[in-house]
Amino acid sequence: DSGVTQTPKHLITATGQRVTLRCSPRSGDLSVYWYQQSLDQGLQFLIQYYNGEERAKGNILERFSAQQFPDLHSELNLSSLELGDSALYFCASSPWTSGGRRGNEQFFGPGTRLTVL
Amino acid sequence: ILNVEQSPQSLHVQEGDSTNFTCSFPSSNFYALHWYRWETAKSPEALFVMTLNGDEKKKGRISATLNTKEGYSYLYIKGSQPEDSATYLCASSGSEKLVFGKGTKLTVNP
C-alpha cells in the first residue's frame, strides 16, 4: 500500500459526459501527478501540481483539467468524454516539486479505470 | 520530447534463471532514471531511482546500472522466482515530468 488513495476504483459513463476523479496523496507529500494508461500505450504524464499550484503539463487535452486543494488532495476533471478517453488513470505523489530531479521517487495510487460507452 | 525505449517487450523465463532488460533514453538533459515494478491489478511500485553515471543499485535479487553518457540502464534479476512476474517500467526525466517506456513484461514459470 503506497499511501496514495484514488476514488472511484471504476467508473462507467457515456460519451459526452463529465466525470471527476479524486486523489489523496501520501501524508506529507506536496506534489501530485496524474497519468493516463491507455491500451498499448505507456503511462502518459498529464499534469503535476505542487502545493496547490500547477507545476508541469504533459499531454493533457483541453477537455481535461485538474486542481489541487488546500488539503492537498487533487481532482482530475474529464469533460465531453469520448470513447478514446477510456483508460486507467493513475495519480502519484512525491514529497518535492521536482518530478525527476534529485531522484524524487513517485508513489502511485491504485488507479481509476474509466470506461466510456 | 524524451523517447524512452525498453526491450524486450516481453520475456518468459524458468524459475531460477537470471535475466536482464534494457532501458534506453536520450542522454541530453538527463536528470534521473526510475525503475518501477508493476504487478497485474496493482499500482506501479518504485524499485530504484538513479541519478549519477555509473550508479549501481541493488535490492535483494534485483539490481540496476546506469550509463548516462550513452543513455541506457540495465535491470538484472538473479535467480528469478514466480513472484517476480510483473511488468518492469523505466522512466526518464529531463525536467519536471517523467517519461515512461512501455515496459518489459516478465513471466517466470515455476
Side-chain angles (χ1 to χ4, degrees), chain B residues 53-105:
Chain B
N53 185 43
D55 250 355
E56 283 190 39
K57 296 226 172 171
K58 189 173 179 184
K59 190 184 278 190
R61 295 178 291 99
I62 305 178
S63 60
T65 60
L66 178 67
N67 182 323
T68 60
K69 292 183 179 178
E70 294 179 44
Y72 65 84
S73 175
Y74 293 134
L75 187 80
Y76 300 91
I77 302 180
K78 190 176 173 184
S80 302
Q81 299 297 309
E83 57 265 30
D84 295 329
S85 297
T87 295
Y88 291 83
L89 298 171
C90 76
S92 180
S93 70
S95 63
E96 292 285 353
K97 60 183 185 182
L98 287 182
V99 177
F100 281 83
K102 291 187 179 180
T104 293
K105 185 172 181 178

Side-chain angles (χ1 to χ4, degrees), chain A residues 105-107, chain B residues 21 33-38 44-50 57-64 75-77 84 86-90:
Chain A
E105 187 176 321
Q106 293 184 21
F107 297 86
Chain B
F21 334 126
L33 192 286
H34 298 232
W35 280 101
Y36 285 83
R37 173 192 152 89
W38 191 2
E45 178 191 341
L47 285 173
F48 305 113
V49 180
M50 295 183 287
K57 296 226 172 171
K58 189 173 179 184
K59 190 184 278 190
R61 295 178 291 99
I62 305 178
S63 60
L75 187 80
Y76 300 91
I77 302 180
D84 295 329
T87 295
Y88 291 83
L89 298 171
C90 76

